[in-house]
Amino acid sequence: MKLKLILILALFVSSAVTLKGQAPTHVPLMDDTWRMIAQKKYVKNAQFKMVPSFPQRLLNIENQFIELSGYIIPLKAEMEYTNFMLAVVPYDQCAYCGQGDIPSMIEVYSKRPVGASDRPVRIKGKLILNKTGDKRSEIFLMEAEMIK
């Protein structure tokens, strides 16, 4: 009986240690709009420069106000942001770990400062697509506001 109790206790402790070492899970946020954003590709233009190419469905909603859920990825070390990235995975989940693709992110410019958070947020803003291939982000949410 004691041996059985010791084995159960050892199994419990080893599973607790194993779980603690794993990356935290996150709420899956991939919806239809994020899937359209993820379909962005790069093509060579007439000047042989690589520029983003967007799916037609995403082009159809350009300059319209859309809602997206995502995780805030800060661009500067501050407690509140008016400019940040929004992603489908949280900041503490490494996007460059070699597993799967780098997740889609969009750059957000909000009307009012948004507080730092490790929880998903829902944001509404005007979708702008940058087709130039310059060094800015390819997708923006402008005039954005948090949705409660």
Side-chain angles (χ1 to χ4, degrees):
M1 182 69 178
K2 283 186 180 182
L3 182 60
K4 195 176 198 180
L5 184 59
I6 291 171
L7 284 174
I8 291 172
L9 184 60
L11 182 62
F12 175 74
V13 169
S14 67
S15 66
V17 169
T18 303
L19 290 175
K20 187 174 182 179
Q22 294 177 349
T25 60
H26 64 274
V27 178
L29 301 175
M30 189 62 87
D31 62 10
D32 191 47
T33 306
W34 276 115
R35 281 185 195 85
M36 284 190 290
I37 290 169
Q39 292 174 1
K40 169 191 74 192
K41 296 179 181 172
Y42 293 90
V43 296
K44 285 184 184 177
N45 67 8
Q47 293 78 33
F48 299 101
K49 180 179 178 182
M50 295 301 285
V51 296
S53 172
F54 302 100
Q56 188 60 50
R57 287 180 50 218
L58 195 60
L59 290 168
N60 292 344
I61 61 171
E62 184 176 15
N63 295 313
Q64 294 181 24
F65 281 84
I66 64 166
E67 293 182 15
L68 271 177
S69 294
Y71 292 91
I72 294 173
I73 309 294
L75 295 172
K76 294 181 183 176
E78 298 173 353
M79 293 306 291
E80 291 187 322
Y81 320 100
T82 54
N83 177 224
F84 55 91
M85 300 301 284
L86 190 69
V88 283
V89 295
Y91 182 74
D92 62 353
Q93 302 255 335
C94 175
Y96 304 95
C97 295
Q99 295 180 351
D101 293 332
I102 296 170
S104 298
M105 287 193 270
I106 61 170
E107 190 168 350
V108 177
Y109 285 90
S110 64
K111 291 180 179 181
R112 290 181 266 310
V114 173
S117 175
D118 61 351
R119 301 200 184 283
V121 296
R122 186 133 181 101
I123 296 180
K124 180 178 183 175
K126 186 176 185 179
L127 180 70
I128 303 295
L129 304 176
N130 177 10
K131 304 170 190 101
T132 65
D134 60 15
K135 296 186 185 216
R136 297 177 302 145
S137 296
E138 293 92 359
I139 303 174
F140 295 91
L141 265 189
M142 306 299 286
E143 305 171 39
E145 295 184 282
M146 295 282 288
I147 299 173
K148 304 225 183 216

